[in-house]
Amino acid sequence: MNPGLTVRTITESDVPDWCRALHVGFLRRPTVSKEEVETRLGGIDLARTQGAFDAGSVSVNGVNGAGGVNSADGADGRCVATFRSFAQQLTVVGGAAVPADAVSNVTVSPTHRRRGLLTRMMDTDLRLAKERGDAVATLVSAEYPIYGRYGFGPATWITEWEVDVARAGLDGRYTGPADGGRVDFATPETVRGLGPAFHERFRATRPGAVSRSERWWRMETGDLSNGAADEPWKEPFFAVYRGPDGTVDGLLSYEVNERWDGKLPDNTLVVRHLLATSPAAERALWHFVLSVDWISTVRSGHRAPDDVLPLLLGDPRAARVTTHADYLWLRPLDVPRLLQARTYAASAALVLDVRDPAGLAPGRYLLDATPTGATCAPTTRSPDLTLDVAELGALYLGDESVQRLVALGRVQEEQAGAAATAEALLRTGRRPWCPDVF
Ligand SMILES: CC(C)(COP(=O)(O)OP(=O)(O)OC[C@H]1O[C@@H](n2cnc3c(N)ncnc32)[C@H](O)[C@@H]1OP(=O)(O)O)[C@@H](O)C(=O)NCCC(=O)NCCS
């Protein structure tokens, strides 16, 4: 480790330089606007925001170029790495929520990569999260190989489809929901008003969903700019589904990439968010986006792999998979709390020997689960399954197969039949889904 490198929480005066380092790590234009610094300051908890500073690294001219704010070097040098976390609620199987340590804005500048900076920042953050009492840490991983070493496992996956509307086999004369519900366009102000309460109902229905802050809604609806010149806010189309009794059961936003060819419309509708609290609302919103005139292609955005979309079509093959990947990663911090928070479809007792080299959540735990409640506590009984804490993260929301991880040699079955028992306990009918990036 370079002796001139300091890893510490940042202060207000570090924010411009911290933002510049964040841009560099995410390959964005390094210039940082005054507006962005102000927005950032309102949205980050400085006590949970870390940076690495290199006393030997000085800026060439101390400024970021035309239009940018002065991001002067701090007393201990320039910022060369960024890391931040914030409080989040994660919905678990059964609809309860657990307190999560959401990790975000992770970068190490290419000039300082592979010297252990991420490891130092992550170790500090996870230790503090454990002390705070968070049950789990969460993140959306940019690349698969980064976070397994810190005890994170891929807990939800996403699929993105591209639908050839002409081949979809839907009724071209579709006029709207036939169930008495209705779809209406909405202004950003309306969405800001009704969105948060709708989303609170939504996230209780979806394991893997995460809470959204008031700032999230303001930024999503253009009320608060992120100040980033590279990505100005563009108003999407917002639409609301109301059920026959007037309840808001669905919220949709989409953009359109315009294209005409030889006087023929060839536009692509890109779904930003399509959330529903009832199957009728979900079907209605998909029908809606698939029947907008002039649209020949619909891109679904990141959906649960078992989304209804393909099977909703007369010809499901009209929906081509364009992305299928891991999405939300979980790092268990409090095993008893996590395992007690979720529900189980079966009754069984299971002893899990959880290995955790970082020392945050290791131990042997007895899970005693029934469909009406579960207990989980440390035990001295001999284990049924031995697994790394990252594998528990992958299994926790029910998306991964215990038997598959046994076949991969990542989970050890210590008692015959234990993997099948764990499978029956942990798996769920529908797959978890995290609709948000953070
Ligand atoms: C990902 C990133 C933060 C890692 O920073 P870093 O300073 O190289 O991390 P560390 O030196 O602490 O790496 C720790 C270990 O992880 C490995 N590692 C880190 N990033 C990796 C990657 N993308 N792929 C494979 N291995 C990786 C390192 O090789 C090292 O392994 P070792 O301990 O066996 O030597 C940095 O590469 C980066 O900023 N990438 C671009 C932005 C990004 O992807 N951010 C993550 C957003 S979720």
Side-chain angles (χ1 to χ4, degrees):
M1 174 62 62
N2 182 334
L5 279 175
T6 311
V7 177
R8 58 170 173 82
T9 50
I10 67 168
T11 62
E12 199 171 320
S13 64
D14 294 319
V15 173
D17 196 31
W18 188 90
C19 288
R20 181 200 47 75
L22 182 68
H23 284 216
V24 168
F26 284 157
L27 305 182
R28 295 190 191 133
R29 200 148 61 94
T31 301
V32 177
S33 71
K34 201 161 171 257
E35 196 183 4
E36 178 179 355
V37 173
E38 274 161 19
T39 308
R40 273 278 168 205
L41 262 173
I44 59 177
D45 178 352
L46 289 172
R48 291 178 69 168
T49 306
Q50 300 182 66
F53 296 84
D54 185 351
S57 165
V58 288
S59 56
V60 176
N61 53 17
V63 296
N64 272 324
V69 290
N70 189 332
S71 93
D73 304 335
D76 45 7
R78 294 217 99 187
C79 187
V80 295
T82 63
F83 188 110
R84 143 180 120 78
S85 69
F86 61 94
Q88 186 185 63
Q89 294 283 315
L90 168 72
T91 305
V92 305
V93 176
V98 294
D101 175 54
V103 173
S104 185
N105 297 152
V106 174
T107 70
V108 172
S109 297
T111 47
H112 289 71
R113 70 198 287 275
R114 310 300 187 260
R115 301 187 202 178
L117 286 177
L118 169 58
T119 302
R120 282 172 70 179
M121 297 188 292
M122 182 66 85
D123 287 352
T124 301
D125 187 79
L126 292 180
R127 193 173 36 76
L128 293 173
K130 173 80 182 170
E131 280 170 27
R132 250 191 330 265
D134 289 336
V136 65
T138 58
L139 56 80
V140 177
S141 185
E143 293 189 278
Y144 193 100
I146 305 175
Y147 296 104
R149 74 191 66 237
Y150 306 115
F152 287 84
T156 78
W157 290 66
I158 50 95
T159 303
E160 184 165 28
W161 286 273
E162 189 168 280
V163 183
D164 180 344
V165 176
R167 285 183 177 273
L170 288 174
D171 176 11
R173 299 188 61 81
Y174 179 71
T175 55
D179 60 355
R182 54 181 296 150
V183 177
D184 294 292
F185 282 104
T187 63
E189 293 73 31
T190 303
V191 171
R192 204 153 51 242
L194 58 76
F198 162 75
H199 185 261
E200 286 299 289
R201 285 195 290 122
F202 164 76
R203 74 179 169 95
T205 68
R206 197 77 203 203
V210 293
S211 50
R212 291 175 173 177
S213 64
E214 189 212 344
R215 281 174 62 84
W216 188 97
W217 286 102
R218 290 187 61 202
M219 290 180 107
E220 180 68 12
T221 55
D223 189 46
L224 182 66
S225 162
N226 65 10
D230 285 3
E231 22 178 277
W233 185 76
K234 195 175 146 216
E235 183 178 337
F237 296 91
F238 288 111
V240 175
Y241 170 94
R242 287 186 177 79
D245 64 355
T247 311
V248 174
D249 283 340
L251 200 50
L252 165 73
S253 61
Y254 64 87
E255 291 160 11
V256 172
N257 298 339
E258 262 193 274
R259 194 182 112 90
W260 286 72
D261 189 13
K263 210 72 180 94
L264 293 173
D266 188 19
N267 300 286
T268 298
L269 184 154
V270 182
V271 173
R272 281 172 63 85
H273 296 284
L274 189 161
L275 302 181
T277 51
S278 74
E282 193 174 1
R283 290 196 302 268
L285 289 176
W286 279 126
H287 266 140
F288 178 75
V289 297
L290 289 159
S291 62
V292 176
D293 287 311
W294 292 6
I295 299 296
S296 50
T297 306
V298 167
R299 269 201 242 134
S300 70
H302 294 162
R303 312 297 305 175
D306 64 347
D307 195 278
V308 295
L309 172 64
L311 297 187
L312 185 83
L313 308 177
D315 183 351
R317 292 188 200 171
R320 195 171 57 86
V321 172
T322 55
T323 311
H324 179 69
D326 56 285
Y327 198 73
L328 182 75
W329 289 58
L330 298 187
R331 201 290 178 209
L333 294 169
D334 183 338
V335 175
R337 185 165 182 187
L338 276 180
L339 291 177
Q340 278 172 187
R342 61 159 284 178
T343 58
Y344 302 86
S347 294
L350 205 60
V351 176
L352 302 174
D353 199 358
V354 179
R355 303 278 160 88
D356 186 356
L360 294 166
R364 198 172 290 176
Y365 302 98
L366 169 63
L367 169 66
D368 198 350
T370 72
T372 53
T375 59
C376 181
T379 182
T380 52
R381 277 168 55 169
S382 56
D384 295 307
L385 297 171
T386 301
L387 71 173
D388 190 271
V389 71
E391 313 307 342
L392 183 61
L395 291 168
Y396 177 63
L397 292 175
D399 207 37
E400 188 49 83
S401 154
V402 182
Q403 283 157 320
R404 180 154 86 144
L405 294 186
V406 168
L408 284 161
R410 295 192 198 157
V411 171
Q412 279 73 49
E413 188 177 42
E414 312 288 1
Q415 308 290 337
T421 303
E423 200 87 279
L425 277 186
L426 296 171
R427 296 303 288 272
T428 56
R430 293 296 298 274
R431 296 180 70 170
W433 177 45
C434 178
D436 295 343
V437 67
F438 58 90

